[in-house]
Amino acid sequence: MNRLLIYHHFNRHHGLSSYVIDALARLSPVFREVIFVSNSHLSEEMTGQLSPYCQRILQRENKGFDFGGWRDAMKATGWDVLQKFESITLMNDSCFGPLFEMDEIFDQMERPEIDFWGVSFHPERKRGMPGTGGSVSAHIQSYFISFSNKVIASKAFQQFWQDVEDYPDVNLVIQKYETKLTSLLAKAGFSYEAYINFRLKDEDINERAIFTDPDVMLQFGSPLIKIKAFLYFETPPCLLKMISMHSSYDISLIEAYFTNVYNPNVSINIVNKNVFLPKSERKKVRANMTVALHFHVFYVDVFEKHIMQLFNNTITPVHLFITTDSNEKKLQILAFATKYGIEDHIKEIILVENRGRDVLPWLSVAPMMKNYDVAGHFHTKKSLINKEWVGDTWMTEIINVLIHPLDEVLSLFSDHHDVGIVIPDIPVFYKNMLGIDLWDKSRATFVRLWDKMNLKKHIDPMQILSPIMPYGNMFWYRPEALKPLFDLKLTADDFPPEPLPNDGTIAHAFESLPVYVAWAQGYDFRVLLNPEFPHSGFNNKVLIRRIEENKQLLASPSWRVGRIVSYIPGKIFRFVQSVTSRLSE
């Protein structure tokens, strides 16, 4: 068939996701020609990846959203050329798939009595128009819509695209273009159909469910699943399993997209980042890598209590870089090293000022560890603002998950080259405090440091209740993943003198940065679960994962009350979705 596909692309980080390449590879055999139009910058490498599947690649400014991109692609091609195609299909990158071959779908839908068609249909509604809350016309949803030559050649169709303006507000694009195109063509005498509706003519099923529920879409053969479905669906990992059950689609494409594009607070609820290794299953596996560990020793007794755990639980050589704040402590450390026979593992013992807690000492040592494959940052944790048992159990938890299975931790880095940081789960003491804004006083400092690093990815900390971070500030990492932190070149003058307040200083803000910096550097993360309490605390922020990017709702009083809950029934999510979801894409 002489078909044309115009595929619209936008990536907020100016990347090219693997699911887009996969979609084009699956779709290109169905079309004679594919035009790829991008509202984000494409590198030479990216255009090289696209070239096997696209006859033309058009890059443009990020304005007018997908309708502006489709309009420009048609204008660049010319109506005299466009009218030679038997059909034109418009698609954007807001959905995963096709989940299976599209030939049969095109054969079913390209009937003489159907002038244009799409995958799904939005019924007429009295309320719900984005931006106004007003009525919504019945329409084919524009993320995938195909027009016959009869429509292409019509004055109504051509005039519609000639009149498309580059509105800066997506709600205006929805109001004026997506929801109006179907009725405009219907008035001109053209018939239309949606693939899911076409399949369900004999089924008793709610039309709204077809629009909102990806599980229903899968059940009735949709070849495409909206990306936003994962942000609203009650249990996104179950949706991934459903896709695997209904198709042979590679769900790692979905996982890679959310890991790379969405911030860690969103991706952790869609992609499994948790690692649970029961003690009975732990095996010593030698990782073929160089390993360095920084240990800041302020409390010498804590250091002596835990240091041998490091060497008793690994067969991988580890080089120690130790910092402490007095010569007396240095001598005690050397005595311990001799006592336990680990003096050969110590590369440096460096005296530092008692300033910046464990953060500034780590930053001062980090350049010495930059050429190691994996590095660790640890310190002698005590909690002076809580009962003694809190700090003691907290430190023990960290040692149990980061040091006891050290060879397995190192194997994570060896087996997964995209993993840039491994952190412990939230300590048990704090798991019951997840409804509280745990970084309210440090948020402004986080923003200041983030902006100073000039990272490639943007993040809005105002949309995150509690950061994903190594509580207690101990973790393993690839030095390259956290390089922007070291490039800040902070000095003692950047840190206030002791005694520090309980929160709000640059040292406290630093604790929340590593996972996000690694993400901005293109790396993934893992959370090691405590075998004694294997449920992850980072997966409880249900509302954060659902409405992470909806600033209007986040600012509302109802959101501020509702964000403290740890479980929201599906019906409430559907209500939230009906209020906040966009019809575009």
Side-chain angles (χ1 to χ4, degrees), residues 284 293 295 297 300-316 318 320 322 333-346 378 380 395 399-400 402-407:
K284 290 183 180 293
L293 185 150
F295 216 124
V297 180
V300 180
D301 59 322
V302 177
F303 177 74
E304 183 180 15
K305 178 179 178 180
H306 292 291
I307 186 59
M308 285 312 297
Q309 302 282 356
L310 176 67
F311 300 101
N312 291 338
N313 289 280
T314 181
I315 57 175
T316 302
V318 178
L320 281 175
I322 298 174
I333 293 167
L334 287 171
F336 291 149
T338 302
K339 175 182 176 181
Y340 296 120
I342 61 172
E343 60 270 25
D344 290 343
H345 292 276
I346 298 177
F378 289 77
T380 51
M395 183 71 188
I399 294 296
N400 284 344
L402 291 183
I403 298 296
H404 280 187
L406 179 54
D407 286 318

Side-chain angles (χ1 to χ4, degrees), residues 180-210:
K180 295 291 187 289
L181 178 56
T182 298
S183 57
L184 182 147
L185 293 178
K187 278 185 181 179
F190 297 112
S191 61
Y192 64 89
E193 185 60 273
Y195 177 66
I196 298 298
N197 280 15
F198 179 78
R199 287 173 56 84
L200 298 181
K201 282 182 177 178
D202 297 327
E203 300 287 344
D204 181 18
I205 190 166
N206 184 280
E207 284 182 323
R208 186 68 183 173
I210 297 171

Side-chain angles (χ1 to χ4, degrees), residues 247-259:
S247 73
S248 59
Y249 190 75
D250 183 1
I251 62 171
S252 70
L253 300 172
I254 300 174
E255 294 174 334
Y257 171 76
F258 281 107
T259 293

Side-chain angles (χ1 to χ4, degrees), residues 420-449:
I421 184 169
V422 173
I423 67 172
D425 189 18
I426 294 176
V428 174
F429 177 74
Y430 280 96
K431 284 188 179 182
N432 294 326
M433 302 173 65
L434 291 178
I436 302 172
D437 190 336
L438 292 177
W439 70 339
D440 185 52
K441 295 180 180 179
S442 301
R443 191 178 266 111
T445 306
F446 177 102
V447 173
R448 178 172 63 82
L449 292 171

Side-chain angles (χ1 to χ4, degrees), residues 19 89 93 126 225 243 248 252 256 308 315 439 442 455-456 463 488 506 541 581:
Y19 83 91
T89 298
D93 62 356
K126 293 182 180 180
I225 295 297
I243 292 173
S248 59
S252 70
M308 285 312 297
I315 57 175
W439 70 339
S442 301
L455 296 162
K456 296 178 181 178
Q463 296 183 24
L488 286 170
I506 189 172
K541 304 172 194 63
S581 69

